[in-house]
Amino acid sequence: ARCALRPVLAEAIGIERLASKDSWLVLGMDDLAASRDRWHATPMYAWWGSETVQKLVKDELERSGAEAKERLRELGVAEDAWSVPKSVGFALFAAHDEQLDSDQPHFLFYGDWAEGADGVASIFEAVIAEHEKTKPGRVRAVEIRGHKATAISVKPEEPKPEIGKDGRPRRPRPRRGGFFEEGGTFQHVETIWYVRDGSRFLLGSLEKDLEEVLGVLEGQARASISEDPDLKAALEQGGRAELWSVLLTGPMQRVAGGGGAQ
């Protein structure tokens, strides 16, 4: 098995090569460093950096910067641990649930942090350790395709019993509104999975999907959304902008109505 903590820098891989062939929403930023350089050359950036604008945002930027540093200190990691990723991608896809006998929405997040991977990994690990401390039993170490991974339970906890005005216990009302709570888009998801592969990080709601994605990162073939003619046509028409996204209404029909009104 390949070591999950090896310092080798990864080949850039677009999210469309990793996303399931049943994806219905794909979003990518291919090269954030290049995007930042192009942004710095625009008139808009010159306006943003002007003395007038910077005076207006000075207090807010200082406040948010101080809060970020304080949060990193709470986690026990270096203040310079966070860095901008090399590239990121996100996909929503449909997968058949045998127990429910229906197609359900799932998600995949992919990020490549290049040279900053170790610092970012220290943040992720500190957050997971903090969650394990505050939510005992909801974090466990696992292995996915020979890589050390983490399984985090997101199944809503049983609500505490409620006492009515008459003093009698009554059935507690389920929590609503969250992605993983009743009525949420991913109410069927009980566990999310996190795994690191060198400079690349994966987070997803389906273990089998992450296993297949790791196979792609190892050079194995997988049927992906990159071969979809509609996705190809959309990218050809619109081009791969700094930030691009494609919504495919065909596969989306498989999960329409599976979550909230959104």
Side-chain angles (χ1 to χ4, degrees), residues 10 27 69 98 111 128 133 135 138 143 145 195 207:
L27 180 150
K69 289 183 178 179
E98 296 295 340
I128 291 172
K133 184 177 180 180
K135 303 284 186 181
R138 295 177 69 84
E143 186 175 287
R145 201 180 178 88
V195 61
E207 182 181 15

Side-chain angles (χ1 to χ4, degrees), residues 8 16 22 28 33-34 54 112 114 124 126 155 162 181 196 247 249:
V8 176
E16 72 275 18
D22 298 311
Q54 287 300 303
D112 185 343
F124 289 174
K155 184 178 181 181
E162 297 179 0
E181 293 170 351
R196 178 186 177 187
L247 175 68
T249 56

